[in-house]
Amino acid sequence: MEKTDSRRPTGLLLVAVPVLLMAWLIIWPIFSAIGRTIWRPDANGETGFTLSSYVFFFSDQYSINNLMITLWTTGVCALFLLLICLPIAIYLRFSTGKIPAYVQALAIFPMFVPSIILAYAFIRVLGPNGMVDILLNSVGLPKIRTPYLTPWGPVIGMVWDNIPLTVLILLSGLGSVSNQSIEAARDVGAKRLQVLWYIILPRISNSVLVAISFAVLGIFSSFTLPYLLGPASPEMMGPFMNRTFREVNDPINAITQAVITFCFCIAFGLFYVRSVARNQGK
Amino acid sequence: MKRRAFMLSVAGLAAGISMLPQVSLAAEGTIDWYTSSDSNILDFWTNTVKPAFEAAHPEYKLNLVDAGDGAGIIAIGERAVAAKATNTDPQADFFESADPLLPAGAIEAGIFVNIKEAGLSNYDKVNPAGIQSDYSLPYRGSQVLLAYDTTKLDPANAPKTWDELVTWIKANPGQFVYNRPDKGGSGGNFVRRAIHQANGLDPSKFTVDNYDETFGNEALGNAWAILSDIAPSLYDNGAYSSGNTQSIQLLAQGVVTMTPVWSDQILQAIDQGVLPETTGLVQLQDLALVGGFTRSVVLETGTNRDAALKLADFMLSEEIQSAILTELGGFPGVSWDHISPELREKFADIIPQQIPTFPGGAWEAAINDGWYRNVAPNVDRTQ
């Protein structure tokens, strides 16, 4: 009893710094941004409540196209991440020996490559007249249409970039699937797919949710890869916001775009919070 | 236990403090210099200007900082305005390239030195064509050209006018690329050349102050039509690279045959072997692609104001102005009479007869937004 009492202020002190930093650097700017978009001077210079910048965003086809391509990219990336990372994670969990160690090292490797380097490597390898083109050409195959500067460019880059985190989270979730439960299922005649569907997936659904919400949060607001690899138009929200703020000199619309992006991200964030809370309730 | 708790909280506090923004003061005698130019300019300053200046003025040091882009410089200018209001040190002395009109009101706030009246010994050598404001110093120029691969296009057939260029682009689909106009001057000035084309080849029609929505929509609208017209014949049915360097990269990889480039960047790229010797350069003869002078600005409130002015004066010296020609591939900010006759002879080809310019201000935002809305999305690239 005495021990817990003496620990309490220390714990609070330890979390105080990050919490205050978060309040100062993140929470306050969010409220200030929302305030600046809905409470601003009108044509006569009188400050008042207005939603005009939001009305503009949602009535402007160009802005909507940008929002749509962002949602599309995020959705496609999430799907590919799941399709690629789940088999890798399951393989790593259930096999032993040296090869899985190499596979794991390879899967974690993208974590240590900065995205700007990834972008230029991508242009060299998959880009026009890049390595893939040269290899195809040398065996007499036709040129491919490169994904560079199309919406698929950022998708490939961001999927590769997000593989390590997704694999690690899924792997930790798979840790809670015991070998006995799988053996038991096999004993009663379950086939591989049935084991996956009835035994493994229900146990790791939380990890899948966490992994996907982490990846989605990063991809939705990404900047470097969509900017360097993607098309000029439609733009993803990251480059769009940056351009509106810096190049078009239009802070109000840039903040509006940021608030809208934030609203989407908070919806994905709630998934994460909900699955964490559900986990703790167990 | 108590000692451990104490240690933990101290460590936490220290970690927190180390994450707070650092407070530091500008050092006396170290000129804080910022640029928004490409890396070839930063290299030029690092390898040529800095050693020469520090040798000529051993009491000063140059701290070269890349501010990223124009918006980065404006942000530092805004910091200087704020610092002036509280009478503190702006931690900046020299902007390599800046528009003294930005941030708005900076001149009125007394942030920038009036270069004309600052008593620079070399000021009267400056090329009068480059002077736009008493508060900035045009120390170098460069112009946008068209670079092309002579192994694919015979120099004799290289387009010399806008109409020939458009004909060539349409006859060679996929062989021309320009970058997004807000991401680098080569594509940006190609777009501005299209605006000149759409408005009677008269650069004087556009001034810093004459933007209004009706005139803007009309003048730019015609240019968007010209650019949308050639879009399907561009690289990958209308893909636009994301910067000056990316365009050069596409040319170097042999993906495209022709692209607009900055004169200084391309001469350096050829010199360093990034591009082969077979790279040809051509300028349009009906009206040249837009170019201009790069203007430096000195901060009035900087700790090293006087040292920065000495640097500004040094930039106009014959030594540096010659280096701009020979090492940077730009053209000098001083009048050609102040360049040695041998160099004048040698670089006769790149001495521009006319340098069309395009004003910034409201035009810039209108072009940056209008191009994205009207030209970039016109092609359905999924087909």
Side-chain angles (χ1 to χ4, degrees):
Chain A
M1 194 64 207
E2 208 185 298
K3 228 176 174 180
T4 18
D5 277 351
S6 71
R7 261 185 188 173
R8 204 163 273 162
T10 317
L12 285 179
L13 196 67
L14 280 174
V15 296
V17 173
V19 167
L20 284 176
L21 267 180
M22 204 171 86
W24 176 38
L25 294 176
I26 298 173
I27 301 190
W28 160 247
I30 291 171
F31 283 103
S32 134
I34 297 174
R36 278 166 73 181
T37 50
I38 58 174
W39 196 262
R40 51 200 171 84
D42 58 10
N44 306 323
E46 278 172 51
T47 310
F49 176 80
T50 166
L51 285 176
S52 59
S53 65
Y54 293 90
V55 172
F56 172 75
F57 184 93
F58 286 107
S59 59
D60 176 37
Q61 192 56 42
Y62 185 73
S63 306
I64 291 176
N65 288 349
N66 289 343
L67 183 61
M68 285 305 152
I69 193 77
T70 313
L71 286 169
W72 178 86
T73 309
T74 312
V76 170
C77 283
L79 188 72
F80 273 101
L81 274 173
L82 210 57
L83 290 178
I84 293 170
C85 297
L86 201 56
I88 297 180
I90 291 175
Y91 170 73
L92 291 177
R93 162 71 181 80
F94 293 108
S95 43
T96 48
K98 248 189 173 169
I99 297 172
Y102 289 126
V103 172
Q104 178 156 8
L106 210 59
I108 306 303
F109 176 68
M111 197 170 244
F112 304 100
V113 182
S115 41
I116 184 120
I117 292 179
L118 166 63
Y120 280 99
F122 174 97
I123 298 173
R124 283 287 179 190
V125 175
L126 282 176
N129 289 8
M131 207 171 82
V132 172
D133 261 355
I134 291 170
L135 290 178
L136 287 179
N137 203 30
S138 66
V139 292
L141 291 168
K143 287 170 81 74
I144 49 158
R145 182 167 184 267
T146 161
Y148 176 46
L149 299 180
T150 74
W152 289 101
V155 168
I156 297 175
M158 285 188 293
V159 166
W160 196 77
D161 216 17
N162 278 292
I163 283 177
L165 193 66
T166 315
V167 167
L168 285 178
I169 296 173
L170 290 178
L171 206 51
S172 79
L174 282 167
S176 68
V177 183
S178 64
N179 285 344
Q180 287 96 321
S181 57
I182 289 174
E183 280 158 20
R186 287 242 168 111
D187 283 347
V188 294
K191 298 215 176 62
R192 286 188 160 204
L193 270 181
Q194 285 170 318
V195 171
L196 176 71
W197 192 253
Y198 294 107
I199 308 290
I200 299 177
L201 281 185
R203 298 256 168 132
I204 61 163
S205 61
N206 252 339
S207 301
V208 171
L209 263 182
V210 170
I212 290 302
S213 31
F214 262 57
V216 155
L217 283 177
I219 291 166
F220 198 87
S221 53
S222 56
F223 175 78
T224 314
L225 291 170
Y227 168 50
L228 283 170
L229 300 178
S233 162
E235 309 158 90
M236 278 182 71
M237 291 306 281
F240 184 37
M241 269 186 264
N242 184 59
R243 191 173 63 80
T244 311
F245 183 73
R246 299 182 78 131
E247 258 73 52
V248 188
N249 252 323
D250 189 352
I252 287 300
N253 275 322
I255 298 172
T256 307
Q257 292 155 12
V259 171
I260 290 164
T261 306
F262 171 74
C263 290
F264 276 92
C265 285
I266 210 172
F268 297 129
L270 285 176
F271 264 114
Y272 168 67
V273 171
R274 209 184 63 136
S275 57
V276 167
R278 220 170 44 176
N279 234 4
Q280 278 178 345
K282 272 183 189 168
Chain B
M1 197 62 210
K2 274 207 165 151
R3 196 177 62 89
R4 201 171 141 235
F6 173 75
M7 294 296 280
L8 274 174
S9 31
V10 168
L13 208 63
I17 287 171
S18 69
M19 284 163 81
L20 291 171
Q22 288 195 342
V23 181
S24 68
L25 290 171
E28 184 87 37
T30 300
I31 301 168
D32 286 315
W33 174 101
Y34 293 88
T35 185
S36 61
S37 304
D38 280 308
S39 58
N40 63 326
I41 304 299
L42 188 56
D43 288 347
F44 174 69
W45 277 79
T46 311
N47 299 326
T48 307
V49 180
K50 184 176 152 85
F53 179 72
E54 287 177 356
H57 296 274
E59 68 275 30
Y60 300 128
K61 273 202 158 16
L62 258 177
N63 174 31
L64 305 177
V65 185
D66 187 357
D69 52 15
I73 288 281
I74 294 171
I76 297 165
E78 278 165 351
R79 186 175 79 187
V81 174
K84 163 97 178 181
T86 54
N87 233 343
T88 38
D89 176 10
Q91 294 177 41
D93 302 301
F94 194 97
F95 292 161
E96 188 264 335
S97 60
D99 180 356
L101 296 173
L102 294 168
I107 292 175
E108 292 75 26
I111 299 302
F112 298 139
V113 173
N114 185 328
I115 304 258
K116 192 183 176 188
E117 282 161 18
L120 300 188
S121 60
N122 291 323
Y123 189 77
D124 49 1
K125 292 184 189 166
V126 170
N127 188 344
I131 295 177
Q132 209 171 49
S133 154
D134 291 349
Y135 290 85
S136 60
L137 181 72
Y139 85 94
R140 68 175 169 94
S142 54
Q143 200 160 11
V144 173
L145 309 161
L146 298 170
Y148 62 98
D149 185 346
T150 53
T151 59
K152 293 188 201 158
L153 172 66
D154 184 354
N157 302 330
K160 307 271 186 327
T161 63
W162 179 268
D163 292 329
E164 282 177 37
L165 176 64
V166 169
T167 315
W168 183 85
I169 291 172
K170 288 189 172 171
N172 298 275
Q175 292 302 308
F176 188 86
V177 73
Y178 68 93
N179 66 266
R180 300 163 202 179
D182 58 325
K183 302 302 179 199
S186 62
N189 285 339
F190 178 79
V191 167
R192 283 162 178 76
R193 178 63 182 78
I195 298 170
H196 284 152
Q197 186 69 25
N199 292 280
L201 297 178
D202 183 9
S204 66
K205 266 193 184 168
F206 303 96
T207 66
V208 175
D209 311 312
N210 77 346
Y211 178 83
D212 68 62
E213 219 175 315
T214 334
F215 178 47
N217 287 343
E218 183 200 315
L220 299 183
N222 297 334
W224 304 149
I226 292 180
L227 291 170
S228 299
D229 178 46
I230 61 168
S233 308
L234 296 179
Y235 165 65
D236 203 15
N237 308 327
Y240 305 93
S241 57
S242 53
N244 299 322
T245 319
Q246 281 81 353
S247 296
I248 293 180
Q249 196 179 15
L250 286 172
L251 183 67
Q253 282 175 274
V255 180
V256 295
T257 305
M258 191 189 290
T259 180
V261 290
W262 279 113
S263 57
D264 53 346
Q265 228 170 8
I266 196 76
L267 289 173
Q268 239 177 3
I270 296 171
D271 196 40
Q272 291 166 350
V274 176
L275 282 165
E277 291 290 332
T278 51
T279 308
L281 299 173
V282 65
Q283 181 60 275
L284 298 183
Q285 300 302 315
D286 47 348
L287 177 70
L289 285 154
V290 177
F293 287 91
T294 298
R295 300 176 180 84
S296 295
V297 164
V298 175
L299 280 95
E300 179 74 49
T301 48
T303 313
N304 302 293
R305 172 189 178 274
D306 296 335
L309 278 173
K310 284 197 181 123
L311 175 63
D313 208 21
F314 185 71
M315 292 315 293
L316 300 176
S317 66
E318 190 170 335
E319 179 189 358
I320 296 296
Q321 291 295 317
S322 306
I324 285 171
L325 262 169
T326 54
E327 281 170 49
L328 192 61
F331 47 83
V334 297
S335 301
W336 283 91
D337 338 332
H338 299 286
I339 294 293
S340 72
E342 306 92 76
L343 282 179
R344 229 183 297 170
E345 184 98 352
K346 188 174 167 205
F347 288 93
D349 284 348
I350 73 155
I351 301 173
Q353 301 306 315
Q354 15 114 289
I355 310 165
T357 54
F358 205 94
W363 284 107
E364 189 150 331
I367 293 171
N368 285 341
D369 205 37
W371 182 86
Y372 274 87
R373 286 175 178 275
N374 297 292
V375 180
N378 259 11
V379 184
D380 182 8
R381 300 194 54 253
T382 51
Q383 284 168 2

